[in-house]
Amino acid sequence: MSSYHEYMAEREKIDFLLQKGFKITAVTENLSGAFVTFERTENNQTEQEALHILTADARKYFSSVLIQQV
Amino acid sequence: MANLTTNLAGIQSPNPFWLASAPPTNSGYQVQRAFEAGWGGAVWKTLGDPILNVSSRFAAVGFNGQRVAGFNNIELITDRPLEVNLKEIYETKKKFPNHAIIASLMVEPQQEKWHEIVKKVEDVGVDGLELNFGCPHGMAERGMGAASGQVPDLVEKQTYWAKEVAQTPVIVKLTPNITDITVTAEAAVRGGADAVSMINTINSLAGVDIHSWNTIPHVAGKGAHGGYCGPAVKPIALNMVAECARSPFINVPISGMGGVSNWQEAVEFMLMGAAGVQVCTAAMHHGFRIVEDMIQGLNYYLDERGIKKVSDIVGKAVSKYSDWGNLDLNYKVVARIDPDTCINCNKCHISCEDTSHQCIDMLKDPSGKSYLKVREEDCVGCNLCSIVCPVDGAISMVELPNEQPPMTWNERQAALQATAVQRLDV
Ligand SMILES: Cc1cc2nc3c(=O)[nH]c(=O)nc-3n(C[C@H](O)[C@H](O)[C@H](O)COP(=O)(O)O)c2cc1C
Ligand code: SF4
Ligand code: SF4
């Protein structure tokens, strides 16, 4: 798959969670990429999701989202 | 015509083009001819204890038909007696009172030696002094030049000693043979330098003769490391000038040199913070008359832009030079191939395929004719294809609209940290 398509696939996953009201609450980066934790709280219940982001462009993308969020 | 006069730490000259301390400024005869040709100033070949030189001394590094892409030498400072040089400086200054004559000096790192030489050269009427802490060969082995120029404390101390007695501005000429030139530039400023100049030559071995196995150059079959200069070193010199120009601790004028051979390169150095430039290799390669083009080109350049005086361009590009961490990660350019200009040599395809991101596709149009097209979404805008393309205008690098707001690495790191903190608060 071209790196653009890999990026788009990862971006879609991020967008999907954002659309459902999730927010990025933690990022752990290491040699294997970025592990991004998303959370949303509804009716006093906190739900958590995690994504393993590999491509450089998707890492830039969630970082832009993060900057807008903080 | 724009006003080309410059004032570097109080040293006036009719234009920003000075000859650097080197063979072109070895004698009164040469410096006077240079002034007649139009050079605004000359930094006299370094004065010190007369030394002995070897034969041979120079080597050129050619590349692809370019005879002097780089230049290397194992020459030392002047081998003429001090008294002879001083007499010629005196005579030259008398004949050319409006041109800048700077005495380049190198002595052992001892206070009384500096006092002695500074007083002697100032007595003959020089406009300024340049302390040579840069020569990488020969003198360095005796504890002078780059040997002391690499030790910030010695740079500071020797500058201070020169300043203790100097009546004229003191320029400190720095060696590039150091990891971070701002450290020694700051030391010079702490020592009281009125200006800094850079770069002296870079440690080098020009080559080895694969037939005789001798170094190039060699002296009776033996070689030694030498100093590299000329067009090849310009990017290194320009970066060092820029680093000093943007440092808040180096608030003195800069005299820039290293590979300057035309007016455009002089403008680059000045935009990046040099108040004037010095030239050696280009004058050695083409003679003193290259300054005519330099003066004319600079004049046209300034006139075209309506800039009245050359000093107005000094430092105008410094704010554009920053750290990697301040670059916008979301800025995007891509390569675009113009099929009408392209000659189908395929160089771009090969370089992108083998060493970049495999995003130049070879396609066929309906008539069966092959053409190349960049898959823009995969192109990282590395520039490689446009660098290797032999046809001007066949590949252009085009800016794409930002999909995301600008974001620097530093901003990203700050956001990541803030997130971790928020997470702890939850
Ligand atoms: C043959 C030769 C001799 C040089 N001698 C001196 C010298 O005596 N003192 C000095 O400060 N720099 C000396 N230099 C260095 C030049 O002044 C200058 O810093 C260097 O060549 C970079 O400029 P360029 O690329 O225009 O040549 C010498 C350079 C060459 C090529
Ligand atoms: S700019 Fe780089 S990645 Fe883009 S097509 Fe050219 S060589 Fe390939
Ligand atoms: S390198 Fe330039 S001329 Fe050659 S194929 Fe590519 S675009 Fe065409």
Side-chain angles (χ1 to χ4, degrees):
Chain A
M1 190 159 45
S2 88
S3 54
Y4 178 71
H5 291 121
E6 284 169 35
Y7 156 58
M8 286 309 284
E10 292 189 328
R11 180 176 165 165
E12 266 166 33
K13 289 186 203 158
I14 297 169
D15 284 343
F16 178 72
L17 290 176
L18 294 176
Q19 271 161 21
K20 288 183 33 182
F22 281 85
K23 278 189 161 32
I24 299 171
T25 54
V27 179
T28 310
E29 292 202 296
N30 57 33
L31 292 176
S32 312
F35 299 89
V36 187
T37 311
F38 292 79
E39 272 180 18
R40 78 170 168 188
T41 308
E42 254 175 27
N43 309 325
N44 281 340
Q45 284 214 318
T46 304
E47 246 185 294
Q48 224 181 45
E49 290 281 352
L51 289 180
H52 182 193
I53 301 297
L54 294 171
T55 66
D57 280 340
R59 298 210 307 274
K60 285 186 205 172
Y61 180 66
F62 81 66
S63 308
S64 297
V65 172
L66 187 64
I67 285 175
Q68 280 162 349
Q69 225 180 257
V70 292
Chain B
M1 288 285 195
N3 179 353
L4 296 191
T5 56
T6 52
N7 179 336
L8 188 125
I11 305 173
Q12 308 274 352
S13 75
N15 63 56
F17 304 112
W18 293 1
L19 283 171
S21 172
T25 59
N26 199 30
S27 65
Y29 167 77
Q30 289 166 285
V31 173
Q32 290 173 30
R33 280 190 51 232
F35 287 164
E36 270 158 19
W39 292 90
V43 185
W44 210 272
K45 173 81 181 162
T46 303
L47 311 173
D49 267 342
I51 51 88
L52 302 176
N53 267 306
V54 291
S55 162
S56 63
R57 305 177 193 180
F58 305 158
V61 178
F63 186 74
N64 229 1
Q66 159 83 266
R67 287 188 68 80
V68 187
F71 192 82
N72 162 285
N73 83 90
I74 53 170
E75 180 177 285
L76 305 184
I77 61 170
T78 187
D79 48 17
R80 305 162 75 231
L82 184 63
E83 301 313 321
V84 174
N85 277 305
L86 292 180
K87 185 173 148 279
E88 291 178 14
I89 291 176
Y90 176 77
E91 283 162 2
T92 310
K93 187 66 209 170
K94 248 172 114 184
K95 277 195 195 154
F96 294 88
N98 298 325
H99 288 65
I101 299 185
I102 291 91
S104 170
L105 308 176
M106 183 196 285
V107 289
E108 285 163 48
Q110 289 169 20
Q111 187 182 27
E112 60 282 11
K113 296 245 175 190
W114 280 105
H115 284 185
E116 185 189 336
I117 195 150
V118 166
K119 285 183 195 152
K120 276 189 171 161
V121 296
E122 285 195 336
D123 276 353
V124 295
V126 293
D127 299 291
L129 310 169
E130 188 181 77
L131 316 188
N132 178 353
F133 296 147
C135 192
H137 42 84
M139 304 311 282
E141 287 145 25
R142 298 175 207 173
M144 291 178 259
S148 59
Q150 286 161 342
V151 184
D153 275 355
L154 281 178
V155 171
E156 179 178 345
K157 229 183 235 161
Q158 296 182 90
T159 309
Y160 184 78
W161 290 334
K163 280 294 290 181
E164 278 179 330
V165 287
Q167 308 284 320
T168 63
V170 171
I171 307 169
V172 172
K173 183 170 178 182
L174 300 167
T175 174
N177 298 306
I178 189 160
T179 314
D180 180 355
I181 200 163
T182 62
V183 173
T184 43
E186 278 175 31
V189 172
R190 278 198 305 276
D194 300 289
V196 286
S197 61
M198 67 203 69
I199 59 174
N200 209 308
T201 52
I202 304 172
N203 259 332
S204 62
L205 170 58
V208 180
D209 184 325
I210 60 168
H211 305 293
S212 66
W213 300 3
N214 275 332
T215 60
I216 306 172
H218 74 93
V219 179
K222 279 227 167 75
H225 69 114
Y228 203 42
C229 52
V233 312
K234 186 204 119 192
I236 297 163
L238 193 57
N239 166 57
M240 290 186 165
V241 166
E243 289 297 345
C244 288
R246 78 189 180 98
S247 161
F249 306 108
I250 305 166
N251 43 15
V252 295
I254 298 170
S255 174
M257 87 203 87
V260 175
S261 41
N262 55 37
W263 67 265
Q264 290 95 330
E265 284 159 348
V267 168
E268 288 180 67
F269 273 79
M270 296 186 83
L271 288 172
M272 257 316 161
V277 293
Q278 300 186 31
V279 177
C280 164
T281 305
M284 291 178 73
H285 189 183
H286 303 293
F288 289 151
R289 288 191 60 184
I290 56 165
V291 77
E292 289 171 14
D293 260 8
M294 290 176 158
I295 292 170
Q296 201 175 38
L298 181 62
N299 253 320
Y300 280 136
Y301 173 83
L302 296 173
D303 286 353
E304 230 177 38
R305 281 166 181 71
I307 299 169
K308 297 270 180 299
K309 45 188 204 306
V310 69
S311 53
D312 286 349
I313 67 167
V314 174
K316 283 295 186 285
V318 175
S319 63
K320 293 184 184 276
Y321 203 56
S322 183
D323 294 325
W324 195 94
N326 294 326
L327 306 182
D328 180 5
L329 296 166
N330 286 332
Y331 177 76
K332 178 148 184 172
V333 291
V334 293
R336 225 167 253 174
I337 298 174
D338 173 11
D340 297 331
T341 318
C342 169
I343 56 166
N344 281 314
C345 71
N346 279 343
K347 278 188 85 81
C348 58
H349 171 76
I350 293 164
S351 54
C352 188
E353 199 65 17
D354 289 355
T355 60
S356 196
H357 286 73
Q358 301 81 50
C359 55
I360 302 187
D361 294 327
M362 285 176 130
L363 305 169
K364 287 217 186 308
D365 71 10
S367 68
K369 195 170 151 254
S370 45
Y371 69 99
L372 294 170
K373 190 165 193 305
V374 177
R375 245 177 15 260
E376 292 187 0
E377 59 275 16
D378 278 322
C379 170
V380 299
C382 71
N383 280 353
L384 181 63
C385 54
S386 72
I387 290 168
V388 303
C389 175
V391 183
D392 273 350
I395 300 186
S396 33
M397 301 303 299
V398 212
E399 181 182 337
L400 295 187
N402 263 13
E403 276 188 19
Q404 298 296 320
M407 171 184 66
T408 67
W409 175 262
N410 292 341
E411 287 165 350
R412 178 183 194 270
Q413 295 315 95
L416 287 183
Q417 268 175 10
T419 315
V421 171
Q422 277 178 8
R423 171 108 178 108
L424 288 176
D425 292 341
V426 171

Short mmCIF file of all heavy atoms in Angstrom, two decimals, chain A residues 2-4 7 11 24-27 29 39 48 59-64 66-68 70, chain B residues 329-330 332 375 377-378 403-405 407-408 411-413 415-416 418-420 422-423 426:
data_model
loop_
_atom_site.label_atom_id
_atom_site.label_comp_id
_atom_site.label_asym_id
_atom_site.label_seq_id
_atom_site.Cartn_x
_atom_site.Cartn_y
_atom_site.Cartn_z
N SER A 2 0.49 2.26 -0.76
CA SER A 2 1.32 3.46 -0.78
C SER A 2 1.21 4.14 0.58
O SER A 2 0.23 3.98 1.30
CB SER A 2 0.89 4.40 -1.89
OG SER A 2 -0.11 5.26 -1.43
N SER A 3 2.25 4.89 0.92
CA SER A 3 2.24 5.48 2.27
C SER A 3 1.06 6.43 2.44
O SER A 3 0.55 6.61 3.54
CB SER A 3 3.57 6.17 2.57
OG SER A 3 3.85 7.09 1.55
N TYR A 4 0.61 7.01 1.32
CA TYR A 4 -0.56 7.88 1.43
C TYR A 4 -1.79 7.09 1.87
O TYR A 4 -2.55 7.51 2.74
CB TYR A 4 -0.82 8.55 0.07
CG TYR A 4 -2.04 9.44 0.08
CD1 TYR A 4 -2.03 10.64 0.78
CD2 TYR A 4 -3.21 9.07 -0.61
CE1 TYR A 4 -3.14 11.46 0.80
CE2 TYR A 4 -4.31 9.90 -0.59
CZ TYR A 4 -4.28 11.09 0.11
OH TYR A 4 -5.38 11.90 0.12
N TYR A 7 -1.57 6.20 5.47
CA TYR A 7 -1.91 7.39 6.27
C TYR A 7 -3.43 7.59 6.31
O TYR A 7 -4.01 7.81 7.38
CB TYR A 7 -1.20 8.62 5.68
CG TYR A 7 -1.85 9.95 5.99
CD1 TYR A 7 -2.05 10.36 7.30
CD2 TYR A 7 -2.25 10.81 4.96
CE1 TYR A 7 -2.64 11.59 7.59
CE2 TYR A 7 -2.84 12.02 5.23
CZ TYR A 7 -3.04 12.42 6.54
OH TYR A 7 -3.62 13.63 6.82
N ARG A 11 -5.76 7.80 9.46
CA ARG A 11 -6.49 9.05 9.72
C ARG A 11 -7.99 8.78 9.88
O ARG A 11 -8.65 9.41 10.71
CB ARG A 11 -6.23 10.01 8.55
CG ARG A 11 -6.95 11.31 8.75
CD ARG A 11 -6.63 12.30 7.66
NE ARG A 11 -7.62 13.37 7.73
CZ ARG A 11 -7.48 14.54 7.13
NH1 ARG A 11 -6.43 14.78 6.40
NH2 ARG A 11 -8.41 15.45 7.25
N ILE A 24 -8.24 13.05 22.65
CA ILE A 24 -6.95 12.42 22.94
C ILE A 24 -6.55 12.77 24.38
O ILE A 24 -6.56 13.94 24.77
CB ILE A 24 -5.86 12.92 21.98
CG1 ILE A 24 -6.25 12.57 20.54
CG2 ILE A 24 -4.49 12.33 22.32
CD1 ILE A 24 -5.37 13.19 19.48
N THR A 25 -6.23 11.76 25.17
CA THR A 25 -5.85 12.04 26.56
C THR A 25 -4.42 11.62 26.87
O THR A 25 -3.88 12.03 27.88
CB THR A 25 -6.79 11.33 27.54
OG1 THR A 25 -6.82 9.94 27.20
CG2 THR A 25 -8.18 11.91 27.48
N ALA A 26 -3.87 10.79 26.06
CA ALA A 26 -2.47 10.41 26.32
C ALA A 26 -1.82 9.91 25.04
O ALA A 26 -2.50 9.35 24.17
CB ALA A 26 -2.39 9.34 27.39
N VAL A 27 -0.52 10.14 24.96
CA VAL A 27 0.23 9.63 23.81
C VAL A 27 1.53 9.02 24.34
O VAL A 27 2.21 9.64 25.15
CB VAL A 27 0.60 10.77 22.83
CG1 VAL A 27 1.40 10.22 21.67
CG2 VAL A 27 -0.65 11.47 22.32
N GLU A 29 4.97 7.52 22.81
CA GLU A 29 5.70 7.29 21.57
C GLU A 29 6.94 6.47 21.83
O GLU A 29 7.63 6.67 22.83
CB GLU A 29 6.10 8.63 20.95
CG GLU A 29 4.89 9.41 20.46
CD GLU A 29 5.28 10.43 19.43
OE1 GLU A 29 6.02 11.35 19.79
OE2 GLU A 29 4.84 10.31 18.26
N GLU A 39 -10.44 9.19 24.97
CA GLU A 39 -11.46 8.98 26.02
C GLU A 39 -12.67 9.82 25.72
O GLU A 39 -12.59 10.89 25.15
CB GLU A 39 -10.89 9.42 27.37
CG GLU A 39 -10.15 8.30 28.10
CD GLU A 39 -9.60 8.76 29.44
OE1 GLU A 39 -10.08 9.80 29.95
OE2 GLU A 39 -8.70 8.09 29.94
N GLN A 48 -12.74 4.26 26.97
CA GLN A 48 -11.38 4.46 26.47
C GLN A 48 -11.12 3.65 25.21
O GLN A 48 -11.63 2.53 25.09
CB GLN A 48 -10.40 4.01 27.55
CG GLN A 48 -9.26 4.98 27.73
CD GLN A 48 -8.28 4.52 28.78
OE1 GLN A 48 -7.89 3.35 28.81
NE2 GLN A 48 -7.90 5.45 29.63
N ARG A 59 0.85 10.71 12.43
CA ARG A 59 1.35 11.26 13.70
C ARG A 59 1.27 12.78 13.68
O ARG A 59 0.92 13.41 14.66
CB ARG A 59 2.79 10.77 13.96
CG ARG A 59 2.88 9.26 14.09
CD ARG A 59 3.98 8.79 15.01
NE ARG A 59 5.30 9.31 14.72
CZ ARG A 59 6.14 8.76 13.82
NH1 ARG A 59 5.80 7.68 13.15
NH2 ARG A 59 7.32 9.30 13.62
N LYS A 60 1.57 13.36 12.50
CA LYS A 60 1.41 14.81 12.39
C LYS A 60 -0.07 15.17 12.57
O LYS A 60 -0.41 16.15 13.23
CB LYS A 60 1.86 15.30 11.00
CG LYS A 60 3.35 15.34 10.81
CD LYS A 60 3.66 15.97 9.46
CE LYS A 60 4.99 15.54 8.91
NZ LYS A 60 5.21 15.98 7.53
N TYR A 61 -0.94 14.35 11.97
CA TYR A 61 -2.37 14.66 11.99
C TYR A 61 -2.92 14.67 13.41
O TYR A 61 -3.54 15.64 13.85
CB TYR A 61 -3.13 13.65 11.12
CG TYR A 61 -4.62 13.93 11.11
CD1 TYR A 61 -5.12 15.09 10.54
CD2 TYR A 61 -5.52 13.04 11.69
CE1 TYR A 61 -6.48 15.36 10.55
CE2 TYR A 61 -6.87 13.29 11.70
CZ TYR A 61 -7.35 14.46 11.13
OH TYR A 61 -8.70 14.73 11.15
N PHE A 62 -2.65 13.59 14.17
CA PHE A 62 -3.22 13.59 15.53
C PHE A 62 -2.57 14.67 16.39
O PHE A 62 -3.18 15.20 17.31
CB PHE A 62 -3.18 12.20 16.18
CG PHE A 62 -1.87 11.78 16.79
CD1 PHE A 62 -1.35 12.43 17.91
CD2 PHE A 62 -1.17 10.69 16.28
CE1 PHE A 62 -0.14 12.03 18.48
CE2 PHE A 62 0.04 10.30 16.84
CZ PHE A 62 0.55 10.98 17.95
N SER A 63 -1.31 15.03 16.06
CA SER A 63 -0.66 16.10 16.83
C SER A 63 -1.35 17.44 16.60
O SER A 63 -1.52 18.23 17.53
CB SER A 63 0.80 16.24 16.44
OG SER A 63 1.44 15.00 16.53
N SER A 64 -1.77 17.68 15.35
CA SER A 64 -2.51 18.91 15.06
C SER A 64 -3.82 18.92 15.84
O SER A 64 -4.23 19.95 16.39
CB SER A 64 -2.81 19.05 13.57
OG SER A 64 -1.61 19.15 12.86
N LEU A 66 -4.40 17.36 18.58
CA LEU A 66 -4.04 17.53 19.99
C LEU A 66 -3.80 19.00 20.34
O LEU A 66 -4.26 19.51 21.35
CB LEU A 66 -2.77 16.72 20.24
CG LEU A 66 -2.28 16.60 21.66
CD1 LEU A 66 -3.30 15.85 22.51
CD2 LEU A 66 -0.96 15.83 21.68
N ILE A 67 -3.08 19.69 19.44
CA ILE A 67 -2.77 21.10 19.71
C ILE A 67 -4.06 21.92 19.77
O ILE A 67 -4.22 22.78 20.63
CB ILE A 67 -1.80 21.65 18.63
CG1 ILE A 67 -0.40 21.11 18.91
CG2 ILE A 67 -1.80 23.17 18.62
CD1 ILE A 67 0.63 21.46 17.89
N GLN A 68 -5.03 21.59 18.89
CA GLN A 68 -6.29 22.32 18.92
C GLN A 68 -7.05 22.00 20.21
O GLN A 68 -7.80 22.82 20.72
CB GLN A 68 -7.14 21.95 17.71
CG GLN A 68 -6.69 22.70 16.48
CD GLN A 68 -7.18 22.07 15.18
OE1 GLN A 68 -7.68 20.95 15.16
NE2 GLN A 68 -7.01 22.79 14.10
N VAL A 70 -5.70 21.19 23.28
CA VAL A 70 -5.15 21.68 24.56
C VAL A 70 -5.23 23.21 24.66
O VAL A 70 -5.38 23.88 23.69
CB VAL A 70 -3.68 21.23 24.82
CG1 VAL A 70 -3.62 19.74 25.04
CG2 VAL A 70 -2.77 21.67 23.70
N LEU B 329 5.77 21.56 10.45
CA LEU B 329 5.70 20.15 10.01
C LEU B 329 4.57 19.93 9.00
O LEU B 329 4.56 18.94 8.28
CB LEU B 329 5.47 19.24 11.22
CG LEU B 329 6.58 19.21 12.27
CD1 LEU B 329 6.09 18.56 13.55
CD2 LEU B 329 7.79 18.48 11.74
N ASN B 330 3.61 20.83 8.97
CA ASN B 330 2.45 20.64 8.09
C ASN B 330 2.58 21.36 6.75
O ASN B 330 1.66 21.31 5.93
CB ASN B 330 1.17 21.08 8.79
CG ASN B 330 0.75 20.07 9.84
OD1 ASN B 330 1.06 18.89 9.71
ND2 ASN B 330 0.08 20.52 10.88
N LYS B 332 3.65 21.74 3.03
CA LYS B 332 3.89 20.66 2.06
C LYS B 332 4.16 21.18 0.65
O LYS B 332 3.40 21.99 0.11
CB LYS B 332 2.68 19.71 2.05
CG LYS B 332 2.84 18.59 1.04
CD LYS B 332 2.19 17.28 1.43
CE LYS B 332 2.54 16.28 0.37
NZ LYS B 332 2.25 14.96 0.49
N ARG B 375 3.11 10.99 -8.34
CA ARG B 375 1.93 10.72 -7.49
C ARG B 375 2.04 11.65 -6.29
O ARG B 375 2.75 11.39 -5.34
CB ARG B 375 1.95 9.26 -7.04
CG ARG B 375 0.82 8.43 -7.57
CD ARG B 375 0.84 6.97 -7.21
NE ARG B 375 1.73 6.59 -6.14
CZ ARG B 375 2.94 6.05 -6.33
NH1 ARG B 375 3.40 5.80 -7.53
NH2 ARG B 375 3.68 5.72 -5.30
N GLU B 377 0.34 12.60 -3.81
CA GLU B 377 0.00 12.28 -2.42
C GLU B 377 1.13 11.52 -1.72
O GLU B 377 1.28 11.57 -0.51
CB GLU B 377 -1.33 11.52 -2.32
CG GLU B 377 -1.44 10.20 -3.04
CD GLU B 377 -1.84 10.33 -4.50
OE1 GLU B 377 -1.74 11.43 -5.07
OE2 GLU B 377 -2.26 9.30 -5.09
N ASP B 378 1.96 10.83 -2.50
CA ASP B 378 3.08 10.09 -1.90
C ASP B 378 4.38 10.89 -1.90
O ASP B 378 5.36 10.49 -1.28
CB ASP B 378 3.31 8.77 -2.63
CG ASP B 378 2.34 7.70 -2.15
OD1 ASP B 378 2.07 7.68 -0.94
OD2 ASP B 378 1.85 6.92 -2.98
N GLU B 403 -3.27 21.38 4.74
CA GLU B 403 -4.49 20.71 5.19
C GLU B 403 -4.74 20.99 6.67
O GLU B 403 -5.86 21.02 7.14
CB GLU B 403 -4.36 19.20 4.99
CG GLU B 403 -4.69 18.74 3.59
CD GLU B 403 -4.73 17.23 3.49
OE1 GLU B 403 -4.85 16.55 4.53
OE2 GLU B 403 -4.63 16.73 2.36
N GLN B 404 -3.66 21.13 7.39
CA GLN B 404 -3.74 21.35 8.83
C GLN B 404 -3.09 22.68 9.16
O GLN B 404 -2.25 23.16 8.40
CB GLN B 404 -2.98 20.23 9.56
CG GLN B 404 -3.52 18.84 9.34
CD GLN B 404 -4.92 18.69 9.89
OE1 GLN B 404 -5.24 19.21 10.95
NE2 GLN B 404 -5.77 18.00 9.15
N PRO B 405 -3.48 23.28 10.29
CA PRO B 405 -2.81 24.53 10.68
C PRO B 405 -1.32 24.28 10.93
O PRO B 405 -0.93 23.15 11.22
CB PRO B 405 -3.53 24.92 11.98
CG PRO B 405 -4.25 23.71 12.44
CD PRO B 405 -4.48 22.85 11.25
N MET B 407 2.20 23.64 12.45
CA MET B 407 2.57 22.99 13.71
C MET B 407 4.07 22.69 13.69
O MET B 407 4.56 22.03 12.78
CB MET B 407 1.81 21.68 13.87
CG MET B 407 2.31 20.84 15.04
SD MET B 407 1.48 19.26 15.18
CE MET B 407 2.03 18.42 13.71
N THR B 408 4.76 23.19 14.67
CA THR B 408 6.20 22.91 14.72
C THR B 408 6.45 21.72 15.65
O THR B 408 5.60 21.35 16.46
CB THR B 408 6.98 24.12 15.27
OG1 THR B 408 6.63 24.30 16.64
CG2 THR B 408 6.70 25.38 14.48
N GLU B 411 6.10 22.89 19.18
CA GLU B 411 4.69 23.00 19.61
C GLU B 411 4.12 21.61 19.88
O GLU B 411 3.36 21.40 20.83
CB GLU B 411 3.86 23.70 18.52
CG GLU B 411 4.12 25.17 18.42
CD GLU B 411 3.59 25.80 17.13
OE1 GLU B 411 3.17 25.04 16.21
OE2 GLU B 411 3.64 27.02 17.03
N ARG B 412 4.49 20.67 19.03
CA ARG B 412 3.99 19.31 19.20
C ARG B 412 4.47 18.72 20.53
O ARG B 412 3.70 18.14 21.28
CB ARG B 412 4.50 18.45 18.03
CG ARG B 412 4.10 17.00 18.11
CD ARG B 412 4.72 16.23 16.95
NE ARG B 412 4.09 14.93 16.82
CZ ARG B 412 4.52 13.85 17.43
NH1 ARG B 412 5.57 13.92 18.24
NH2 ARG B 412 3.90 12.69 17.26
N GLN B 413 5.76 18.91 20.82
CA GLN B 413 6.28 18.37 22.08
C GLN B 413 5.59 19.01 23.27
O GLN B 413 5.27 18.34 24.25
CB GLN B 413 7.80 18.59 22.18
CG GLN B 413 8.63 17.84 21.15
CD GLN B 413 8.22 16.39 20.98
OE1 GLN B 413 7.44 16.04 20.10
NE2 GLN B 413 8.70 15.52 21.86
N ALA B 415 2.56 20.18 23.33
CA ALA B 415 1.19 19.63 23.41
C ALA B 415 1.21 18.24 24.01
O ALA B 415 0.33 17.88 24.82
CB ALA B 415 0.56 19.62 22.03
N LEU B 416 2.20 17.44 23.63
CA LEU B 416 2.28 16.08 24.18
C LEU B 416 2.49 16.15 25.69
O LEU B 416 1.86 15.41 26.45
CB LEU B 416 3.45 15.32 23.55
CG LEU B 416 3.29 14.84 22.11
CD1 LEU B 416 4.51 14.05 21.68
CD2 LEU B 416 2.04 14.01 21.94
N ALA B 418 1.64 18.61 27.69
CA ALA B 418 0.42 19.12 28.32
C ALA B 418 -0.61 17.99 28.44
O ALA B 418 -1.34 17.90 29.43
CB ALA B 418 -0.14 20.27 27.50
N THR B 419 -0.65 17.13 27.45
CA THR B 419 -1.61 16.03 27.48
C THR B 419 -1.29 15.07 28.63
O THR B 419 -2.17 14.65 29.36
CB THR B 419 -1.56 15.23 26.17
OG1 THR B 419 -1.53 16.15 25.12
CG2 THR B 419 -2.76 14.33 26.04
N ALA B 420 -0.03 14.77 28.79
CA ALA B 420 0.35 13.86 29.86
C ALA B 420 -0.07 14.45 31.20
O ALA B 420 -0.58 13.76 32.06
CB ALA B 420 1.84 13.62 29.82
N GLN B 422 -2.53 16.63 31.75
CA GLN B 422 -3.99 16.56 31.87
C GLN B 422 -4.43 15.16 32.27
O GLN B 422 -5.33 14.97 33.08
CB GLN B 422 -4.64 16.90 30.53
CG GLN B 422 -4.77 18.39 30.32
CD GLN B 422 -5.39 18.70 28.97
OE1 GLN B 422 -5.83 17.79 28.28
NE2 GLN B 422 -5.40 19.95 28.63
N ARG B 423 -3.78 14.21 31.68
CA ARG B 423 -4.13 12.83 31.95
C ARG B 423 -3.96 12.53 33.45
O ARG B 423 -4.79 11.89 34.06
CB ARG B 423 -3.22 11.91 31.14
CG ARG B 423 -3.31 10.46 31.48
CD ARG B 423 -4.02 9.70 30.38
NE ARG B 423 -4.07 8.29 30.70
CZ ARG B 423 -5.19 7.67 31.06
NH1 ARG B 423 -6.32 8.33 31.15
NH2 ARG B 423 -5.19 6.39 31.32
N VAL B 426 -6.87 13.67 35.53
CA VAL B 426 -8.20 13.02 35.36
C VAL B 426 -8.54 12.20 36.59
O VAL B 426 -7.69 11.46 37.09
CB VAL B 426 -8.19 12.11 34.11
CG1 VAL B 426 -9.47 11.28 34.04
CG2 VAL B 426 -8.08 12.97 32.87
#
